[in-house]
């Protein structure tokens, strides 16, 4: 009996001592990132209490809580970068209402035109218009440069994050190998598993992943879309072909030879390559946010500024043309005056087929033969049918008939194009003869012939031009889209600066002329604040996938409003996701983390158990000593 008590007490001391060691380790690692609370599972190796062995050390891991934590970590990384970048984008436009903000500078420009219209002979008023025009061009360009700087920063960050993800995958492959080679009872195994879980959580902040446990103790890692990044000890290698500083023309394309930005390629151990962007494999995490910002959000912001710059320029130099119902009773068509039609002056026809479905046909004139192909996304309506066609350049060989014939050939069967009776030389009548109903026709027709045409009899004037070459802006696609990146290139026409009197229609030279009238500045003011223009669906101002019709002044407000609302929404989403992440962290910590109060309570109980076993051992020894003395 004494021997049984001695064995039981010895086994109890051994187990209690091991448990105290585990509890002490837990207490020592309170607050250690990635540490999962250790537990001891005693096992029986014989009969009775005397057969209790110390057992194996394991981790109190809540797999469901850990999976949720990784999911929320991916989401939080995504929303954090989205909120940060959208706030930076919103800042580029300035605080609404401030004199230096985009709307404030624009309002100063329109006010200067009003002032000049009221006092056209004032040399100071003319100088103020030119100064205000330069300010708005510079402000638009500054915002656009800021957009591209954000894109370039994201391009750099994608390279850094891809390298981090690649290093983490390599680290996970090594940890898998070490864990598989370690027996389940090895005390170092929980530490290795902690390191692996911490690496997986870090990886989830970059890419949305699923970790699948294998029977040998290793894990496989897949993206949420199903692309395998790690299979036990075999990790894919991630690479990013960054392009450095990005411009407005540097856009993503699934065809690597056409893409102007970098993409992420996963190379499998077998040598196969997967383009993770083209396959849509990355859906959350900071990498997914950077991709969406670089390829969607910021290019749309650039498009808004390009559209604004184009609207500002064309409000000065173009005449809106709108189709009207023929007054002579002719049905099935519209009359529209396209006098002065230039390359890029797109003509939009709205038609309705027999089923009642409406669609836009956009005719885009070009001076090239054959005309360049034009993606619908580069026009006002990304869903329209785009038909490029060639017209003669102004001058010799160009007459109204040649333009009408070119449009008729572009439309093909089902339409006839003829001269509009009683209209201007360039007015034409477009009739639908193929069953479709022609509902509307519109265009913005450039009235000036060149950037030096500043003293004509019309109210239009090329106040803004394209770049250092001072080219006339018409929206041409000859040699590439003139619209793309125009926000960075818009400038005040040097010819107007050198002859400020042209702002009031003065035919003399020099800014010191003392005569003039306010017709032109008043017309320019109205063109900016009252005339409705068509802005592209790609700008996203209307909130739907359709073109926006508004004045330039309203479009400025729309740009600021859309970006401000998007920044606020991104911030709200990030705050909500932060709460979700905090909740997931709390749940995981509650189940698998170290609770110092609980561990201290356990330590006290174990110390008491150790003392009790020691007393039993002492009593057993005394019994044996007594027996030996008998």
């Amino acid at each position: 009996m004494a021997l049984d008590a001695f064995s039981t007490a010895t086994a109890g001391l051994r187990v209690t001592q091991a448990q105290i060691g585990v509890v002490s380790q837990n207490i020592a690692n309170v607050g250690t990132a990635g540490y999962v609370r250790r537990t001891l599972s005693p096992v029986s190796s014989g009969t009775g209490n005397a057969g209790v062995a110390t057992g194996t050390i394991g981790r109190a891991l809540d797999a469901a809580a850990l999976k949720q934590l990784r999911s929320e970590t991916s989401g939080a990384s995504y929303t954090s970068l989205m909120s940060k970048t959208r706030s930076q984008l919103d800042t580029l436009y300035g605080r609404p209402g401030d004199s230096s903000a985009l709307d404030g500078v624009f309002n100063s420009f329109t006010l200067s035109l009003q002032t000049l219209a009221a006092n056209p002979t004032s040399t100071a008023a003319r100088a103020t218009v030119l100064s205000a025009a330069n300010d708005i061009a510079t402000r638009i360009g500054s915002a656009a440069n800021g957009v591209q700087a954000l894109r370039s920063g994201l391009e750099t960050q994608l390279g850094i994050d891809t390298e981090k993800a690649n290093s983490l995958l390599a680290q996970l492959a090594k940890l898998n190998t070490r864990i598989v080679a370690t027996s389940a009872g090895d005390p170092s195994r929980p530490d290795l598993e902690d390191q692996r879980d911490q690496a997986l959580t870090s990886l989830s902040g970059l890419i949305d992943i699923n970790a699948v446990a294998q029977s040998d103790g290793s894990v496989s890692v897949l993206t949420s879309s199903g692309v395998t990044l790690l299979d036990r000890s075999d990790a894919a290698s991630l690479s990013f072909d960054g392009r450095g500083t990005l411009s407005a023309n540097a856009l993503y394309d699934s065809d690597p030879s056409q893409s102007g930005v970098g993409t992420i390629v996963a190379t499998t151990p077998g040598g196969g390559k997967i383009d993770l962007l083209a396959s849509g494999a990355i859906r959350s995490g900071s990498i997914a946010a950077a991709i969406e910002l670089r390829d969607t959000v910021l290019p749309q912001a650039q498009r808004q500024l390009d559209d604004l710059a184009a609207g500002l320029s064309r409000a000065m130099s173009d005449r809106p043309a709108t189709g009207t119902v023929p007054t002579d009773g002719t049905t099935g068509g519209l009359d529209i005056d396209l006098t002065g039609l230039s390359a890029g002056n797109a003509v939009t026809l709205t038609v309705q087929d027999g089923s009642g479905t409406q669609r836009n046909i956009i005719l885009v004139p070009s001076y090239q033969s054959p005309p360049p192909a034009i993606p619908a996304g580069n026009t006002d309506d990304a869903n329209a049918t785009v038909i490029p066609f060639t017209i003669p350049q102004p001058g010799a060989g160009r007459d109204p008939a040649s333009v009408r014939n070119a449009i008729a050939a572009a439309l093909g069967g089902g339409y006839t194009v003829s001269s509009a009776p009683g209209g201007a030389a360039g007015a034409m009548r477009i009739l639908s003869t193929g069953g479709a109903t022609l509902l509307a026709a519109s265009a913005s027709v450039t009235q000036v012939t060149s950037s030096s045409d500043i003293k004509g009899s019309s109210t239009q004037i090329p106040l803004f031009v394209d770049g250092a070459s001072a080219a006339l802006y018409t929206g041409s696609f000859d040699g590439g889209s003139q619209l793309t990146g125009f926000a960075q290139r818009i400038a005040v026409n040097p010819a107007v600066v050198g002859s400020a009197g042209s702002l009031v229609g003065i035919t003399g030279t020099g800014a010191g002329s003392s005569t003039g009238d306010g017709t032109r500045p008043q017309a320019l003011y109205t063109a900016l604040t009252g005339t409705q223009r068509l802005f592209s669906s790609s700008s996203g101002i209307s909130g739907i996938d359709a073109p926006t019709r508004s004045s330039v002044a309203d479009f400025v407000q729309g740009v600021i409003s859309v970006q401000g609302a998007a920044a606020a929404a991104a911030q709200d989403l990030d705050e909500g996701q932060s709460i979700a992440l905090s909740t997931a962290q709390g749940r995981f910590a509650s189940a698998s983390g170290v609770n110092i109060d609980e561990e201290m309570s356990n330590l006290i109980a174990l110390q008491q158990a150790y003392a009790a076993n020691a007393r039993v051992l002492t009593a057993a020894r005394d019994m044996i000593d007594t027996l030996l003395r008998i």
Side-chain angles (χ1 to χ4, degrees), residues 111-122 125-126 129 503-504 518 521:
L111 178 61
S112 70
L113 289 172
Q114 279 187 303
T115 302
L116 181 59
N119 191 8
T121 60
S122 170
R126 300 171 194 173
V129 168
L503 289 170
V504 289

Side-chain angles (χ1 to χ4, degrees), residues 105-106 108 128-141 492:
V105 176
F106 179 83
S108 295
T128 300
V129 168
L130 293 175
S131 176
N134 182 69
D135 288 344
I136 185 61
T138 301
R139 192 69 182 80
I140 292 173
V492 178

